[in-house]
Amino acid sequence: MAGVLAGLTGLAVTGLLSAAPDLTHPSWARIGAAAIALGLTCAAMAALEIPHPPAGATTLIIALGLLHTAPQIVAVLVGVALIAVLAVAVNKLFGVPYPWWRIPAVRERPSLDRGSAGP
């Protein structure tokens, strides 16, 4: 989802939402769209603490204009939703708890016990 939204944002910022793809002679605007989109995707994954390298590929597919029409974007989003539903079903089938939310990690304080330290 982040990859799709970031790709669309990159296209919108560079004015390429309705432009046809051109992978043989990419313009600076197209390169900018890809850079913006990848930066946003990486930032979103870092902020949400959910690394997912294939999101970068989705981002590039959108930002490079390979999928840019409304029906194509809807098809990708439907695919994302179906994969998420399938993941929940498979995890439930095999008894793996599905992480509906992330439990914050508890950081341990370093021990100040010097009794076990050497001379």
Side-chain angles (χ1 to χ4, degrees):
M1 181 79 72
V4 171
L5 295 177
L8 289 173
T9 302
L11 289 175
V13 167
T14 56
L16 296 173
L17 271 175
S18 60
D22 183 5
L23 298 180
T24 57
H25 300 95
S27 65
W28 285 108
R30 184 68 69 189
I31 293 167
I36 290 166
L38 283 171
L40 289 173
T41 300
C42 291
M45 290 188 298
L48 297 172
E49 296 181 0
I50 49 170
H52 184 67
T58 302
T59 298
L60 284 176
I61 289 169
I62 305 295
L64 293 175
L66 298 174
L67 299 176
H68 65 282
T69 65
Q72 292 169 335
I73 300 300
V74 169
V76 171
L77 292 175
V78 167
V80 167
L82 289 174
I83 289 171
V85 168
L86 181 61
V88 172
V90 168
N91 282 312
K92 287 212 177 277
L93 179 67
F94 289 103
V96 177
Y98 193 77
W100 289 105
W101 58 86
R102 188 175 292 270
I103 299 171
V106 178
R107 296 183 185 202
E108 293 185 27
R109 294 180 132 173
S111 175
L112 297 177
D113 180 21
R114 297 183 188 258
S116 62

